[in-house]
Amino acid sequence: MKDQENYLQRQSIRLREYDYTQPGAYFVTVVTHLRKNLFGEIIDGQMFLNQAGKIVEQTWVNIPPHFPNTSCEIFVVMPNHIHGIIEIINDRIVGARHASPLRSIGINGVKPGSIGAIIGSFKSAATKQLHQTRTINQEKIWQRNYYEHIIRDEDDYKQIADYIASNPLNWKCDHENPDNI
């Protein structure tokens, strides 16, 4: 009962009045359910993807073909999460192609073309691929929600890009590493 109460009382971590469809760069982190290491392992500071990790990586790379006007070039798949920068590169509404359908109202209050819609589509597509290939034998792959940070300027962008690039080297002290919880 307590878990259900906590689930129902969760508040959105998004900025209330911010339009997450507008052009800009967004740092996102998507974590696996229960922080399980599903996508490979880190050896000597280098990430080695397993089959599931390769599927997640390819799904991330395929975001721009499904969402025109996005770029997702800076990212890293870690054992139990993915960090990436999603850039919306102009002011046209970003629409999905071959991914979750767009609705004028949005699913669960998610605005079509928003970072939330892009992440929802990514998680859905990756889960579908992982289940179809029988790569992972668990129903839930992802934690509910995701972390995002609106990148404010070039210094912020560079700092985050460096953080993403060095993430495998810093795995031993990463707060997403289950050994550190």
Side-chain angles (χ1 to χ4, degrees), residues 128-144:
K128 183 177 178 181
Q129 278 286 99
L130 291 165
H131 286 158
Q132 283 178 343
T133 59
R134 299 174 192 237
T135 307
I136 294 180
N137 292 336
Q138 65 183 50
E139 186 176 326
K140 289 187 177 184
I141 308 269
W142 305 105
Q143 274 189 8
R144 181 187 174 272

Side-chain angles (χ1 to χ4, degrees), residues 55-67:
I55 289 170
V56 168
E57 178 181 59
Q58 190 58 51
T59 305
W60 185 268
V61 168
N62 284 332
I63 290 173
H66 296 293
F67 289 90

Side-chain angles (χ1 to χ4, degrees), residues 54-148:
K54 290 175 184 174
I55 289 170
V56 168
E57 178 181 59
Q58 190 58 51
T59 305
W60 185 268
V61 168
N62 284 332
I63 290 173
H66 296 293
F67 289 90
N69 309 325
T70 63
S71 174
C72 302
E73 294 173 14
I74 298 174
F75 71 97
V76 65
V77 178
M78 297 292 288
N80 64 0
H81 65 283
I82 182 169
H83 288 302
I85 296 175
I86 297 175
E87 294 181 70
I88 298 178
I89 52 180
N90 74 27
D91 60 357
R92 282 191 7 208
I93 292 288
V94 180
R97 294 184 190 167
H98 316 296
S100 57
L102 291 177
R103 292 183 170 88
S104 59
I105 298 173
I107 300 171
N108 296 327
V110 177
K111 189 173 181 180
S114 67
I115 291 298
I118 294 167
I119 295 300
S121 179
F122 162 76
K123 288 166 74 171
S124 176
T127 299
K128 183 177 178 181
Q129 278 286 99
L130 291 165
H131 286 158
Q132 283 178 343
T133 59
R134 299 174 192 237
T135 307
I136 294 180
N137 292 336
Q138 65 183 50
E139 186 176 326
K140 289 187 177 184
I141 308 269
W142 305 105
Q143 274 189 8
R144 181 187 174 272
N145 222 330
Y146 60 96
Y147 169 82
E148 61 70 26

Side-chain angles (χ1 to χ4, degrees), residues 9-81:
Q9 292 177 358
R10 288 183 182 175
Q11 297 294 318
S12 175
I13 59 173
R14 311 292 161 239
L15 295 175
R16 282 190 190 269
E17 301 300 318
Y18 190 82
D19 180 359
Y20 285 92
T21 65
Q22 69 181 322
Y26 304 85
F27 170 54
V28 297
T29 301
V30 185
V31 181
T32 62
H33 182 66
L34 302 175
R35 287 185 167 79
K36 288 186 179 177
N37 292 343
L38 301 176
F39 306 138
E41 62 182 323
I42 305 246
I43 301 171
D44 295 329
Q46 187 174 352
M47 180 64 193
F48 291 90
L49 298 174
N50 59 19
Q51 184 181 2
K54 290 175 184 174
I55 289 170
V56 168
E57 178 181 59
Q58 190 58 51
T59 305
W60 185 268
V61 168
N62 284 332
I63 290 173
H66 296 293
F67 289 90
N69 309 325
T70 63
S71 174
C72 302
E73 294 173 14
I74 298 174
F75 71 97
V76 65
V77 178
M78 297 292 288
N80 64 0
H81 65 283

